[in-house]
Amino acid sequence: MTTQILRTPEADLAYDVHGPLPTVDGRPPLVMIGQPMDAGGFRVLASHFPDRTVVTYDPRGLGRSTRKDGRVDHAPEHQAADVHAVIEALGTGPVEMFASSGGAVTALALVAAYPDDVTTLVAHEPPLIPVLPDAVAAERARAAVRQAYQDKGWGAGMAAFIAMTSWRGEFSDDYFAQPAPDPAEFGMPTEDDGSREDPLLSDRSWAVSGYRPDIDALNSAPTRVLIAVGEETLDTFTGRTSEAAAELLGQQATVFPSHHGGFLGGESGYAGKPEAFARRLREVLDDAR
């Protein structure tokens, strides 16, 4: 693996190249992106593709990538421009891409803005509130997570986030009638460390979950776009956003093993089924050839 720093006017972007460039098999590099996850979250998944050149990166303001734009928010359009710059720096032409969570939102913005950058995109569980039939209620649930974080700190915010993302079905009156979850029940700290900068729990990433994909641009792009969903999360928040986004694109969501973090290893504390996940990803990518 080699690490590069791409310096742009707005950010210094760190990315890792696992394998040779140009690639030895003639296939494009496989780029893996997340949000707010950085390159470290794809270490296990990348290890299951020893025959491929895999590229991972840290989004601006996260991990090793530093910002120079004076902002603290995470907008998909800005992240897409960064990924476009990384792809150009690789010098290999269009890439294949696996993108997860907020990274899947970035990838959809990338394909809409730079349609020649990606041959096949597997967008895994993009958290797109505007595509939901209960979008207003989902926004209310999102705001409650932020409020818990603002009022009581990281543990309370994360407990509220887990409660939101694990809720089955639409956000109903029953959801909002629940008592606030106890952070200790999830192994979270109950004390408040005073920080309020977490991109997942603050409003800094609301532009991600509030992103409305450009369906016309995605359908007209030469990119093969597949929306993926975990078999264990079909009726949860990100499962529902995935199925709704897939329907807007005229397809059924492609089912993958495990949950929202199904590609993660045991070191993450949220282990999925990375071997089975990688096998499914390989099948999906090979089907495009």
Coordinates of all heavy atoms in Angstrom, one line a residue, residues 160-244:
A160 N -29.4 7.8 20.8 CA -30.5 8.2 20.0 C -30.4 7.9 18.5 O -31.4 7.5 17.8 CB -30.7 9.7 20.2
F161 N -29.2 8.0 18.0 CA -28.9 7.6 16.6 C -29.1 6.1 16.4 O -29.8 5.7 15.4 CB -27.4 8.0 16.3 CG -27.0 7.6 14.9 CD1 -27.4 8.4 13.8 CD2 -26.3 6.4 14.6 CE1 -27.0 8.0 12.5 CE2 -25.9 6.1 13.4 CZ -26.3 6.9 12.3
I162 N -28.7 5.3 17.3 CA -28.9 3.9 17.2 C -30.4 3.6 17.2 O -30.9 2.7 16.4 CB -28.2 3.1 18.3 CG1 -26.7 3.2 18.1 CG2 -28.6 1.6 18.3 CD1 -25.9 2.6 19.2
A163 N -31.1 4.2 18.1 CA -32.6 4.0 18.2 C -33.3 4.4 16.9 O -34.2 3.7 16.4 CB -33.2 4.8 19.3
M164 N -32.8 5.5 16.3 CA -33.4 6.0 15.0 C -33.1 5.0 13.9 O -34.0 4.6 13.1 CB -32.9 7.4 14.7 CG -33.3 7.9 13.3 SD -32.5 9.4 12.8 CE -33.1 9.6 11.1
T165 N -31.9 4.6 13.7 CA -31.5 3.8 12.6 C -31.9 2.4 12.7 O -31.8 1.6 11.7 CB -30.0 3.9 12.3 OG1 -29.3 3.6 13.5 CG2 -29.6 5.3 11.9
S166 N -32.3 1.9 13.9 CA -32.7 0.5 14.0 C -34.2 0.4 14.1 O -34.8 -0.7 14.1 CB -32.1 -0.1 15.3 OG -32.5 0.6 16.5
W167 N -34.9 1.5 14.1 CA -36.4 1.5 14.1 C -36.9 0.8 12.8 O -36.4 1.1 11.7 CB -36.9 2.9 14.2 CG -38.4 3.0 14.2 CD1 -39.3 3.3 13.1 CD2 -39.3 2.7 15.3 NE1 -40.6 3.3 13.5 CE2 -40.6 2.9 14.8 CE3 -39.1 2.3 16.6 CZ2 -41.7 2.7 15.7 CZ3 -40.2 2.2 17.4 CH2 -41.5 2.4 17.0
R168 N -37.9 0.0 13.0 CA -38.4 -0.8 11.8 C -39.7 -0.1 11.3 O -40.6 0.2 12.0 CB -38.8 -2.2 12.3 CG -37.6 -3.0 12.8 CD -36.8 -3.6 11.7 NE -35.6 -4.3 12.3 CZ -34.7 -4.9 11.5 NH1 -34.9 -4.9 10.2 NH2 -33.7 -5.5 12.0
G169 N -39.7 0.3 10.0 CA -40.8 0.9 9.4 C -40.7 2.4 9.5 O -39.7 3.0 9.9
E170 N -41.9 3.0 9.1 CA -41.9 4.5 9.1 C -41.9 5.0 10.5 O -42.2 4.3 11.5 CB -43.2 5.0 8.4 CG -43.2 4.6 6.9 CD -44.4 5.3 6.2 OE1 -45.1 6.1 6.8 OE2 -44.5 5.0 5.0
F171 N -41.4 6.3 10.6 CA -41.3 6.9 12.0 C -42.7 7.4 12.4 O -43.2 8.5 11.9 CB -40.3 8.1 11.9 CG -38.9 7.6 11.7 CD1 -38.3 7.8 10.4 CD2 -38.2 7.0 12.7 CE1 -37.0 7.4 10.2 CE2 -36.9 6.6 12.4 CZ -36.3 6.8 11.2
S172 N -43.3 6.6 13.2 CA -44.7 6.8 13.6 C -44.8 7.5 14.9 O -43.8 7.8 15.6 CB -45.4 5.4 13.7 OG -44.8 4.7 14.7
D173 N -46.1 7.7 15.4 CA -46.3 8.3 16.7 C -45.7 7.4 17.8 O -45.2 7.9 18.8 CB -47.8 8.5 17.0 CG -48.4 9.6 16.1 OD1 -47.6 10.4 15.6 OD2 -49.6 9.6 16.0
D174 N -45.7 6.1 17.6 CA -45.1 5.2 18.5 C -43.6 5.4 18.7 O -43.0 5.3 19.8 CB -45.3 3.7 18.1 CG -46.8 3.3 18.3 OD1 -47.5 4.0 19.0 OD2 -47.2 2.3 17.7
Y175 N -42.9 5.7 17.6 CA -41.5 6.0 17.7 C -41.2 7.2 18.5 O -40.4 7.2 19.4 CB -40.9 6.2 16.3 CG -39.5 6.7 16.3 CD1 -38.4 5.8 16.5 CD2 -39.2 8.1 16.2 CE1 -37.1 6.2 16.5 CE2 -37.9 8.5 16.2 CZ -36.8 7.6 16.4 OH -35.5 8.0 16.5
F176 N -42.0 8.3 18.3 CA -41.7 9.6 19.0 C -42.2 9.5 20.5 O -41.8 10.3 21.3 CB -42.3 10.7 18.3 CG -41.7 11.0 16.9 CD1 -42.4 10.6 15.7 CD2 -40.4 11.5 16.8 CE1 -41.8 10.9 14.5 CE2 -39.8 11.7 15.6 CZ -40.5 11.4 14.4
A177 N -43.1 8.5 20.8 CA -43.6 8.4 22.1 C -42.6 7.6 23.0 O -42.8 7.6 24.3 CB -44.9 7.7 22.1
Q178 N -41.6 7.0 22.5 CA -40.6 6.3 23.3 C -39.8 7.2 24.2 O -39.5 8.3 23.9 CB -39.6 5.6 22.3 CG -40.1 4.6 21.4 CD -39.0 4.0 20.5 OE1 -38.6 2.9 20.7 NE2 -38.5 4.9 19.7
P179 N -39.5 6.6 25.4 CA -38.5 7.4 26.2 C -37.2 7.5 25.6 O -36.8 6.6 24.7 CB -38.5 6.6 27.5 CG -38.9 5.2 27.1 CD -39.9 5.3 26.0
A180 N -36.4 8.4 26.0 CA -35.0 8.6 25.4 C -34.2 7.3 25.8 O -34.3 6.9 27.0 CB -34.4 9.8 26.0
P181 N -33.5 6.8 24.9 CA -32.7 5.5 25.2 C -31.6 5.9 26.2 O -31.0 6.9 26.2 CB -32.2 5.1 23.8 CG -32.2 6.4 23.0 CD -33.3 7.2 23.5
D182 N -31.3 4.9 27.0 CA -30.2 5.0 28.0 C -28.9 4.6 27.3 O -28.7 3.5 26.8 CB -30.5 4.0 29.1 CG -29.4 4.1 30.2 OD1 -28.5 4.9 30.1 OD2 -29.6 3.4 31.2
P183 N -27.9 5.5 27.3 CA -26.6 5.2 26.6 C -26.0 4.0 27.2 O -25.3 3.3 26.5 CB -25.8 6.5 26.8 CG -26.8 7.6 27.1 CD -28.0 6.9 27.7
A184 N -26.1 3.8 28.5 CA -25.5 2.7 29.2 C -25.9 1.4 28.7 O -25.2 0.4 28.6 CB -25.7 2.8 30.7
E185 N -27.2 1.3 28.2 CA -27.7 0.0 27.6 C -27.0 -0.3 26.3 O -27.0 -1.5 25.9 CB -29.2 0.2 27.4 CG -30.0 0.3 28.7 CD -31.5 0.3 28.4 OE1 -31.9 0.2 27.2 OE2 -32.3 0.4 29.4
F186 N -26.4 0.6 25.7 CA -25.6 0.4 24.5 C -24.1 0.4 24.7 O -23.3 0.3 23.7 CB -26.0 1.4 23.4 CG -27.4 1.4 23.0 CD1 -28.3 2.4 23.5 CD2 -27.9 0.5 22.1 CE1 -29.6 2.4 23.1 CE2 -29.2 0.5 21.7 CZ -30.1 1.5 22.2
G187 N -23.7 0.4 26.0 CA -22.3 0.4 26.3 C -21.7 1.8 26.0 O -20.4 1.9 25.8
M188 N -22.5 2.8 25.9 CA -22.0 4.2 25.6 C -21.8 5.0 26.9 O -22.4 4.7 28.0 CB -23.0 5.0 24.8 CG -23.5 4.3 23.5 SD -22.1 4.2 22.3 CE -22.9 3.2 21.0
P189 N -20.9 5.9 26.9 CA -20.6 6.7 28.2 C -21.8 7.6 28.5 O -22.5 8.1 27.6 CB -19.4 7.6 27.8 CG -19.4 7.6 26.3 CD -20.0 6.3 25.8
T190 N -22.1 7.7 29.8 CA -23.2 8.6 30.2 C -22.7 10.0 30.5 O -23.5 10.9 30.6 CB -23.9 8.0 31.4 OG1 -22.9 7.8 32.5 CG2 -24.5 6.6 31.1
E191 N -21.4 10.2 30.7 CA -20.9 11.5 31.0 C -20.7 12.3 29.7 O -20.6 11.7 28.7 CB -19.6 11.4 31.8 CG -18.4 10.9 31.0 CD -18.3 9.3 31.0 OE1 -19.3 8.7 31.5 OE2 -17.4 8.8 30.5
D192 N -20.8 13.6 29.9 CA -20.7 14.5 28.7 C -19.3 15.1 28.7 O -18.8 15.8 29.6 CB -21.7 15.6 28.9 CG -21.8 16.6 27.7 OD1 -20.9 16.5 26.8 OD2 -22.7 17.4 27.7
D193 N -18.5 14.9 27.6 CA -17.2 15.4 27.5 C -17.1 16.8 27.0 O -16.0 17.4 26.9 CB -16.3 14.5 26.7 CG -16.7 14.4 25.2 OD1 -17.6 15.2 24.8 OD2 -16.0 13.7 24.4
G194 N -18.3 17.4 26.6 CA -18.4 18.7 26.2 C -18.2 19.0 24.7 O -18.4 20.1 24.3
S195 N -17.7 18.0 24.0 CA -17.5 18.2 22.5 C -18.8 18.2 21.8 O -19.7 17.4 22.2 CB -16.5 17.2 22.0 OG -17.1 15.9 22.1
R196 N -18.9 18.9 20.7 CA -20.1 18.9 19.9 C -19.8 19.0 18.4 O -20.5 19.6 17.6 CB -21.0 20.2 20.3 CG -21.5 20.2 21.7 CD -22.5 19.0 21.9 NE -23.2 19.1 23.2 CZ -22.7 18.5 24.3 NH1 -21.5 17.9 24.3 NH2 -23.3 18.6 25.5
E197 N -18.7 18.3 18.0 CA -18.2 18.4 16.6 C -18.4 17.1 15.9 O -17.9 17.0 14.7 CB -16.7 18.8 16.6 CG -16.5 20.1 17.3 CD -15.0 20.5 17.3 OE1 -14.2 19.6 17.0 OE2 -14.7 21.6 17.8
D198 N -19.1 16.1 16.4 CA -19.2 14.8 15.8 C -20.0 15.0 14.5 O -21.1 15.4 14.5 CB -19.9 13.8 16.7 CG -19.9 12.4 16.1 OD1 -20.5 12.1 15.1 OD2 -19.2 11.5 16.7
P199 N -19.5 14.6 13.3 CA -20.2 14.8 12.0 C -21.4 13.9 11.9 O -22.3 14.3 11.1 CB -19.1 14.4 11.0 CG -18.2 13.5 11.7 CD -18.1 14.0 13.1
L200 N -21.5 12.8 12.7 CA -22.7 12.0 12.6 C -23.8 12.5 13.4 O -25.0 12.3 13.0 CB -22.3 10.6 13.0 CG -23.2 9.4 12.7 CD1 -23.4 9.2 11.2 CD2 -22.7 8.1 13.4
L201 N -23.5 13.1 14.5 CA -24.6 13.4 15.5 C -25.0 14.9 15.5 O -26.0 15.3 16.0 CB -24.1 13.0 16.9 CG -23.7 11.6 17.1 CD1 -23.2 11.4 18.5 CD2 -24.8 10.6 16.8
S202 N -24.1 15.7 15.0 CA -24.4 17.2 14.9 C -25.2 17.4 13.6 O -25.6 16.4 12.9 CB -23.1 18.0 14.9 OG -22.4 17.7 13.7
D203 N -25.4 18.7 13.2 CA -26.0 19.0 12.0 C -25.0 19.2 10.8 O -25.4 19.6 9.7 CB -26.9 20.2 12.1 CG -26.2 21.4 12.6 OD1 -24.9 21.3 12.8 OD2 -26.8 22.5 12.7
R204 N -23.8 18.8 11.1 CA -22.7 19.1 10.1 C -22.9 18.2 8.8 O -22.4 18.5 7.8 CB -21.3 18.9 10.7 CG -21.0 19.9 11.8 CD -19.6 19.8 12.3 NE -19.3 20.8 13.2 CZ -18.1 21.1 13.7 NH1 -17.0 20.4 13.2 NH2 -17.9 22.1 14.5
S205 N -23.6 17.1 9.0 CA -23.8 16.2 7.9 C -25.2 16.1 7.4 O -25.6 15.2 6.7 CB -23.3 14.7 8.2 OG -21.9 14.7 8.4
W206 N -26.0 17.1 7.8 CA -27.4 17.1 7.4 C -27.5 17.3 5.9 O -28.5 16.9 5.2 CB -28.2 18.2 8.1 CG -28.6 17.8 9.5 CD1 -28.2 16.8 10.2 CD2 -29.6 18.5 10.3 NE1 -28.8 16.7 11.4 CE2 -29.7 17.7 11.5 CE3 -30.4 19.6 10.1 CZ2 -30.6 18.1 12.5 CZ3 -31.3 19.9 11.1 CH2 -31.4 19.2 12.3
A207 N -26.5 17.9 5.2 CA -26.5 18.0 3.8 C -26.4 16.7 3.1 O -26.9 16.5 2.0 CB -25.4 18.9 3.3
V208 N -25.8 15.7 3.8 CA -25.7 14.4 3.3 C -27.1 13.7 3.3 O -27.6 13.2 2.3 CB -24.7 13.6 4.1 CG1 -24.6 12.1 3.6 CG2 -23.3 14.2 4.0
S209 N -27.7 13.6 4.5 CA -29.0 12.9 4.6 C -30.1 13.7 4.0 O -31.1 13.1 3.7 CB -29.3 12.6 6.1 OG -29.2 13.8 6.9
G210 N -29.9 15.0 3.8 CA -30.9 15.8 3.1 C -30.7 15.9 1.6 O -31.5 16.6 0.9
Y211 N -29.7 15.2 1.0 CA -29.5 15.3 -0.4 C -30.6 14.6 -1.2 O -31.1 13.5 -0.9 CB -28.1 14.6 -0.7 CG -27.7 14.6 -2.1 CD1 -27.2 15.7 -2.7 CD2 -27.8 13.4 -2.9 CE1 -26.8 15.8 -4.1 CE2 -27.4 13.4 -4.3 CZ -26.9 14.6 -4.8 OH -26.6 14.6 -6.1
R212 N -31.0 15.3 -2.3 CA -32.0 14.8 -3.2 C -31.2 14.4 -4.5 O -30.7 15.2 -5.2 CB -33.1 15.8 -3.5 CG -34.2 15.2 -4.4 CD -35.2 16.3 -4.6 NE -35.9 16.7 -3.4 CZ -36.9 16.1 -2.9 NH1 -37.4 15.0 -3.5 NH2 -37.5 16.5 -1.7
P213 N -31.1 13.1 -4.8 CA -30.4 12.7 -6.0 C -31.0 13.2 -7.3 O -32.3 13.3 -7.4 CB -30.4 11.1 -5.9 CG -31.6 10.8 -5.0 CD -31.7 11.9 -4.1
D214 N -30.2 13.5 -8.2 CA -30.6 13.9 -9.6 C -30.9 12.7 -10.4 O -30.0 12.1 -11.1 CB -29.6 14.8 -10.2 CG -30.0 15.4 -11.5 OD1 -30.9 14.9 -12.2 OD2 -29.5 16.5 -11.9
I215 N -32.1 12.2 -10.4 CA -32.5 10.9 -11.0 C -32.3 11.0 -12.5 O -31.8 10.1 -13.1 CB -33.9 10.6 -10.7 CG1 -34.1 10.4 -9.1 CG2 -34.3 9.3 -11.4 CD1 -33.2 9.4 -8.5
D216 N -32.6 12.1 -13.1 CA -32.5 12.2 -14.6 C -31.0 12.1 -15.0 O -30.6 11.5 -15.9 CB -33.0 13.6 -15.1 CG -34.6 13.6 -15.0 OD1 -35.2 12.5 -15.0 OD2 -35.1 14.7 -15.0
A217 N -30.1 12.8 -14.2 CA -28.7 12.8 -14.5 C -28.1 11.4 -14.3 O -27.3 10.9 -15.1 CB -27.9 13.8 -13.6
L218 N -28.6 10.7 -13.3 CA -28.1 9.3 -13.0 C -28.6 8.4 -14.1 O -27.8 7.5 -14.5 CB -28.6 8.9 -11.6 CG -28.0 9.6 -10.4 CD1 -28.7 9.2 -9.1 CD2 -26.5 9.3 -10.3
N219 N -29.8 8.5 -14.5 CA -30.3 7.6 -15.5 C -29.7 7.9 -16.9 O -29.6 6.9 -17.8 CB -31.8 7.7 -15.6 CG -32.5 6.9 -14.6 OD1 -32.0 5.9 -14.1 ND2 -33.7 7.4 -14.2
S220 N -29.2 9.1 -17.1 CA -28.6 9.4 -18.4 C -27.1 9.2 -18.5 O -26.5 9.2 -19.5 CB -28.9 10.8 -18.8 OG -28.4 11.7 -17.9
A221 N -26.5 8.9 -17.3 CA -25.1 8.7 -17.2 C -24.7 7.3 -17.8 O -25.5 6.4 -17.8 CB -24.6 8.8 -15.8
P222 N -23.5 7.2 -18.4 CA -23.1 5.9 -18.9 C -22.8 4.9 -17.7 O -22.6 3.7 -18.0 CB -21.8 6.2 -19.7 CG -21.3 7.5 -19.1 CD -22.5 8.2 -18.6
T223 N -22.7 5.4 -16.5 CA -22.4 4.5 -15.4 C -23.5 3.5 -15.1 O -24.7 3.9 -15.1 CB -22.2 5.4 -14.1 OG1 -21.3 6.5 -14.4 CG2 -21.7 4.6 -12.9
R224 N -23.1 2.3 -14.8 CA -24.1 1.3 -14.3 C -24.2 1.6 -12.8 O -23.3 1.3 -12.0 CB -23.6 -0.1 -14.5 CG -24.4 -1.2 -14.0 CD -23.8 -2.5 -14.4 NE -24.5 -3.7 -13.9 CZ -24.1 -4.6 -13.0 NH1 -22.8 -4.4 -12.5 NH2 -24.8 -5.6 -12.6
V225 N -25.4 2.1 -12.3 CA -25.6 2.4 -11.0 C -26.5 1.4 -10.3 O -27.6 1.1 -10.8 CB -26.3 3.8 -10.8 CG1 -26.6 4.1 -9.4 CG2 -25.4 4.9 -11.4
L226 N -26.0 0.8 -9.2 CA -26.8 -0.2 -8.5 C -26.9 0.3 -7.0 O -25.9 0.7 -6.4 CB -26.1 -1.6 -8.5 CG -26.0 -2.3 -9.8 CD1 -25.2 -3.6 -9.7 CD2 -27.3 -2.5 -10.4
I227 N -28.1 0.3 -6.5 CA -28.4 0.6 -5.1 C -28.4 -0.7 -4.4 O -29.2 -1.6 -4.7 CB -29.7 1.4 -4.9 CG1 -29.8 2.6 -5.8 CG2 -29.9 1.7 -3.5 CD1 -28.7 3.7 -5.5
A228 N -27.6 -0.8 -3.3 CA -27.5 -2.0 -2.6 C -28.1 -1.8 -1.2 O -28.1 -0.7 -0.6 CB -26.0 -2.4 -2.5
V229 N -28.5 -2.9 -0.6 CA -29.1 -2.9 0.7 C -28.8 -4.2 1.5 O -28.6 -5.2 0.9 CB -30.7 -2.7 0.6 CG1 -31.3 -4.0 0.0 CG2 -31.3 -2.5 2.0
G230 N -28.6 -4.1 2.8 CA -28.2 -5.2 3.6 C -29.5 -6.1 3.9 O -30.6 -5.5 4.2
E231 N -29.3 -7.4 3.9 CA -30.5 -8.3 4.1 C -31.1 -8.1 5.5 O -32.2 -8.4 5.7 CB -30.0 -9.7 3.9 CG -29.0 -10.2 4.8 CD -28.5 -11.6 4.5 OE1 -29.1 -12.2 3.6 OE2 -27.6 -12.1 5.2
E232 N -30.3 -7.6 6.5 CA -30.7 -7.5 7.8 C -31.4 -6.1 8.1 O -31.9 -5.8 9.2 CB -29.6 -7.7 8.8 CG -29.0 -9.1 8.8 CD -27.8 -9.2 9.7 OE1 -27.6 -8.4 10.6 OE2 -27.0 -10.2 9.5
T233 N -31.3 -5.2 7.1 CA -31.7 -3.8 7.4 C -32.8 -3.4 6.4 O -33.0 -2.2 6.3 CB -30.5 -2.8 7.2 OG1 -29.8 -3.1 6.0 CG2 -29.5 -3.0 8.4
L234 N -33.5 -4.3 5.8 CA -34.4 -4.0 4.7 C -35.5 -3.0 5.2 O -35.9 -2.1 4.4 CB -35.1 -5.2 4.2 CG -34.2 -6.1 3.4 CD1 -34.9 -7.5 3.1 CD2 -33.8 -5.5 2.1
D235 N -36.0 -3.1 6.4 CA -37.1 -2.2 6.8 C -36.7 -1.1 7.8 O -37.5 -0.5 8.5 CB -38.3 -2.9 7.3 CG -38.0 -3.9 8.5 OD1 -36.8 -4.0 8.8 OD2 -38.9 -4.4 9.1
T236 N -35.4 -1.0 8.0 CA -34.9 0.1 8.8 C -34.6 1.4 8.0 O -34.9 1.4 6.8 CB -33.5 -0.3 9.5 OG1 -32.5 -0.5 8.5 CG2 -33.7 -1.5 10.4
F237 N -34.2 2.4 8.7 CA -34.0 3.7 8.0 C -33.2 3.6 6.7 O -33.7 4.0 5.6 CB -33.4 4.7 9.0 CG -33.0 6.0 8.3 CD1 -33.9 6.8 7.7 CD2 -31.6 6.4 8.4 CE1 -33.5 8.0 7.1 CE2 -31.2 7.6 7.8 CZ -32.2 8.4 7.2
T238 N -32.0 3.2 6.8 CA -31.2 3.1 5.5 C -31.6 2.0 4.6 O -31.4 2.2 3.4 CB -29.7 3.0 5.9 OG1 -29.5 1.8 6.7 CG2 -29.1 4.2 6.6
G239 N -32.3 1.0 5.1 CA -32.8 0.0 4.2 C -34.0 0.6 3.4 O -34.1 0.4 2.1
R240 N -34.8 1.4 4.0 CA -35.9 2.0 3.3 C -35.5 3.1 2.4 O -36.1 3.2 1.3 CB -36.9 2.6 4.4 CG -37.6 1.6 5.2 CD -38.8 2.1 6.0 NE -38.5 3.2 6.9 CZ -38.9 4.4 6.7 NH1 -39.8 4.7 5.7 NH2 -38.6 5.4 7.6
T241 N -34.5 3.9 2.7 CA -34.0 4.9 1.8 C -33.4 4.2 0.6 O -33.5 4.7 -0.6 CB -32.9 5.8 2.4 OG1 -31.8 5.1 2.9 CG2 -33.5 6.6 3.6
S242 N -32.7 3.1 0.8 CA -32.1 2.4 -0.4 C -33.2 1.8 -1.3 O -33.1 2.0 -2.5 CB -31.3 1.2 0.2 OG -30.2 1.6 1.0
E243 N -34.2 1.2 -0.8 CA -35.3 0.7 -1.6 C -36.0 1.8 -2.3 O -36.4 1.7 -3.5 CB -36.2 -0.2 -0.8 CG -35.5 -1.4 -0.2 CD -36.5 -2.4 0.3 OE1 -37.4 -2.0 1.2 OE2 -36.5 -3.6 0.0
A244 N -36.2 2.9 -1.7 CA -36.9 4.0 -2.3 C -36.1 4.6 -3.4 O -36.6 5.0 -4.5 CB -37.3 5.1 -1.3

